[in-house]
Amino acid sequence: MRIAIAGISHEALVSSPLPTTLADFRVYRGAAIVDHLGVGDTLRELRIDAVPILYAGSITPSGSVDEGDYLALRDEILDGLRSAGPVDGVCLVLHGAMVVKNIWNGETDVVREVRAVVGNEVPIAVRFDVHCNLTDEFASKTDFWTAYRTAPHRDVRETLERTLTLLARVIDEGLHPRPVFIHVPLLIPGERSNTDVDPMRSLIALAMQIERRSGILNAEVQVGFAWGDTPATGASVVVTATGEENLPMARRAARELAQAYWDARNDFAFDQEVAPTIGEAIDRAVAAPERTVFLTDSGDNVTAGAPGDNTNFLAALLAKRVSDAVVSGLVDPAAFEVCQKAGVGATVSVSLGGKADALYCKPVVATGVVEHLYVPPLAEQDASDRTLRVDGVRVLVTNIRVAFARLSDIRLAGVEPLEHKIIVHKLGYLLPELRDAAPREIMALTEGYTDLDFSRLPYIYVIRPIFPLDPEMVWKPVITNNAGYDEEAEGSSKG
């Protein structure tokens, strides 16, 4: 069977002052797509003749995507589909929270246009991040989709393999999947929906139990991307029937799953130690018996699209005269160039940070010693590090926004993370390797573009009412895509 593979993957923080352009994507074409996604063995096992067209993945989440740059990528995918000849199916690799200037929901636009090219008889399957904001139109134009079942994410490749396996089954068995989609009005950050603990652990277990029922192709729980601030923002569920004849069962199961989601709305909580302020986080870390404490600056979380140059943590560390701390990292191309030109061992005076994020902080003027310069091979990554020691604080200054998600990222900057008392990360929850390595983890509830206190954020476009912004709201599950039902006709068949 011939399956086309393509996608544009980006998570957009609508409020970000940093627009996303073509330069913010890594673009793969042809066989390089299969190598990058790591599914070559799966394609061979499933006897899939892959037709890889284009895959563009953003380097780091940021603001909305420039319309012209998005259209250039999308249209290359459409042209590739037209020239590919007949295909038995299409697998789209998307994130689910892409916003495009003047277009809004990018995933809906991609699927709308792909459907127009391949027609209604060719199945379209989509792989998503669990933090996806989906529309009714998307759900009505897609045969089925899957989403990660881990957060922090450990099943990225496995989810794509699951998508391809289900798509191969749909083609081999001649199935006509019908997804039943329910938008659940919940704003939930990833930091309150870790899949290793309840309620997400139990909700995903319920979805997996539902998809084992006869007549059900798959069932998914989507958390949504709460900082997206779009009309589609929020949680959702989908249960996909293997065909029209199994829609009543899928509808009942979707309502069951959505109701369980809603009933758990007050149970989503942080699963790590939390400090309400930067000052308290630092004080706890300094006094901690552990040799090293990892702190996270959740309001400036670059993996959720924040600018990454908020200086409030750095300013507090310097004001408290902390003797041994590392800030990994701080985005500042200008300070980066000053350190680069001065060289290792030089003393420099720089204005650090507070440039992209001029709303929540201001620059820190500091004098320090350049301790380390790192320029990576171009084939590995685009970010370079300059380590600047200011008093007892080492600042890993970067030229572009990048998450220090692994211990090796910090080590490349000349810093052994477990040999310092405090390591500050521009993250919310720690990503898996860091969490496993951290002797102690404290998440600071800092203000910023990715503030975890949603009451402090200026939501404009989300559909109200929505929980927790409207805590007294009343809701029941309603199916809104084209697998919707006539309540009177179904009558007592509703579960």
Side-chain angles (χ1 to χ4, degrees):
M1 68 188 78
R2 299 185 80 232
I3 293 178
I5 301 175
I8 307 171
S9 182
H10 178 62
E11 184 177 56
L13 179 68
V14 175
S15 63
S16 171
L18 304 173
T20 301
T21 67
L22 190 59
D24 297 305
F25 286 89
R26 289 193 178 97
V27 181
Y28 303 86
R29 295 175 175 86
I33 296 173
V34 175
D35 292 340
H36 174 70
L37 297 175
V39 292
D41 290 343
T42 300
L43 293 170
R44 284 186 287 272
E45 290 168 8
L46 295 171
R47 297 192 176 101
I48 291 174
D49 179 12
V51 185
I53 298 172
L54 176 143
Y55 173 72
S58 63
I59 299 168
T60 308
S62 53
S64 300
V65 183
D66 175 81
E67 181 182 11
D69 289 343
Y70 161 76
L71 290 175
L73 294 171
R74 186 204 69 181
D75 291 350
E76 185 173 339
I77 291 174
L78 300 179
D79 289 343
L81 282 170
R82 293 187 187 101
S83 62
V87 295
D88 299 298
V90 177
C91 178
L92 296 175
V93 184
L94 308 174
H95 180 281
M98 178 169 60
V99 178
V100 181
K101 290 287 187 183
N102 302 320
I103 292 176
W104 280 94
N105 192 279
E107 288 78 13
T108 299
D109 184 74
V110 169
V111 168
R112 180 192 302 126
E113 298 302 322
V114 168
R115 179 60 76 195
V117 170
V118 302
N120 292 329
E121 300 306 313
V122 175
I124 298 175
V126 180
R127 186 229 68 183
F128 278 134
D129 190 301
V130 70
H131 301 119
C132 53
N133 297 326
L134 306 182
T135 68
D136 298 342
E137 182 186 358
F138 167 85
S140 296
K141 284 185 163 61
T142 309
D143 290 87
F144 74 90
W145 64 89
T146 65
Y148 303 160
R149 288 173 171 168
T150 62
H153 308 319
R154 298 179 176 88
D155 63 336
V156 176
R157 188 188 72 252
E158 290 80 1
T159 303
L160 180 54
E161 292 172 343
R162 184 159 58 94
T163 312
L164 290 165
T165 301
L166 289 173
L167 182 55
R169 178 190 168 194
V170 166
I171 296 168
D172 281 339
E173 298 180 17
L175 302 178
H176 298 282
R178 293 293 305 278
V180 179
F181 173 69
I182 299 178
H183 181 89
V184 185
L186 298 174
L187 290 176
I188 310 170
E191 286 71 19
R192 287 184 180 268
S193 52
N194 189 316
T195 56
D196 295 329
V197 298
D198 284 332
M200 279 305 297
R201 179 172 56 186
S202 294
L203 288 169
I204 289 173
L206 175 58
M208 294 173 70
Q209 185 270 324
I210 287 171
E211 75 175 16
R212 289 193 291 269
R213 299 175 189 174
S214 177
I216 302 299
L217 182 70
N218 73 310
E220 309 290 338
V221 177
Q222 289 92 211
V223 173
F225 182 57
W227 295 291
D229 192 15
T230 75
T233 297
S236 60
V237 302
V238 64
V239 177
T240 308
T242 54
E244 189 83 20
E245 69 280 5
N246 293 312
L247 265 177
M249 181 194 310
R251 291 167 183 149
R252 290 192 293 272
R255 290 195 295 271
E256 174 190 356
L257 186 56
Q259 187 65 55
Y261 212 159
W262 177 252
D263 291 344
R265 63 190 180 279
N266 289 305
D267 300 331
F268 291 95
F270 301 122
D271 77 315
Q272 66 270 77
E273 183 180 351
V274 171
T277 65
I278 291 174
E280 184 168 330
I282 294 172
D283 291 344
R284 285 191 211 170
V286 169
E290 292 84 1
R291 180 177 181 178
T292 302
V293 181
F294 286 10
L295 306 181
T296 65
D297 185 1
S298 62
D300 194 30
N301 177 4
V302 296
T303 67
D309 73 337
N310 187 295
T311 57
N312 293 333
F313 235 116
L314 172 61
L317 290 166
L318 295 174
K320 287 177 174 288
R321 299 185 181 278
V322 174
S323 61
D324 185 15
V326 177
V327 176
S328 60
L330 191 76
V331 187
D332 193 322
F336 172 93
E337 288 300 326
V338 171
C339 294
Q340 170 72 10
K341 291 178 180 178
V344 174
T347 298
V348 297
S349 294
V350 291
S351 172
L352 287 169
K355 300 175 179 68
D357 183 355
L359 180 61
Y360 294 98
C361 69
K362 59 183 180 180
V364 170
V365 177
T367 299
V369 177
V370 180
E371 287 193 335
H372 187 80
L373 303 177
Y374 170 67
V375 179
L378 291 176
E380 293 182 8
Q381 61 183 39
D382 297 325
S384 301
D385 307 321
R386 304 293 179 261
T387 302
L388 179 68
R389 178 171 54 81
V390 182
D391 297 331
V393 182
R394 288 171 171 84
V395 186
L396 310 188
V397 183
T398 66
N399 59 336
I400 65 171
R401 291 183 319 116
V402 63
F404 285 73
R406 301 165 299 180
L407 295 174
S408 60
D409 296 333
I410 302 172
R411 288 172 178 143
L412 288 173
V415 173
E416 175 51 54
L418 298 179
E419 291 182 358
H420 295 275
K421 183 63 176 180
I422 294 174
I423 306 288
V424 178
H425 302 270
K426 296 289 189 178
L427 301 169
Y429 54 50
L430 288 178
L431 299 178
E433 182 182 324
L434 298 180
R435 172 165 281 196
D436 292 343
R440 183 172 175 181
E441 169 191 359
I442 303 174
M443 184 171 67
L445 301 183
T446 56
E447 292 189 65
Y449 284 93
T450 53
D451 198 326
L452 287 168
D453 182 350
F454 293 162
S455 68
R456 298 192 296 211
L457 295 176
Y459 285 104
I460 299 172
Y461 302 107
V462 296
I463 301 297
R464 306 288 292 267
I466 193 166
F467 187 88
L469 301 183
D470 305 293
E472 303 303 320
M473 69 176 290
V474 176
W475 180 82
K476 66 176 182 179
V478 176
I479 300 164
T480 54
N481 69 322
N482 64 6
Y485 57 91
D486 182 285
E487 294 194 17
E488 293 184 4
E490 284 213 349
S492 61
S493 71
K494 293 187 293 181

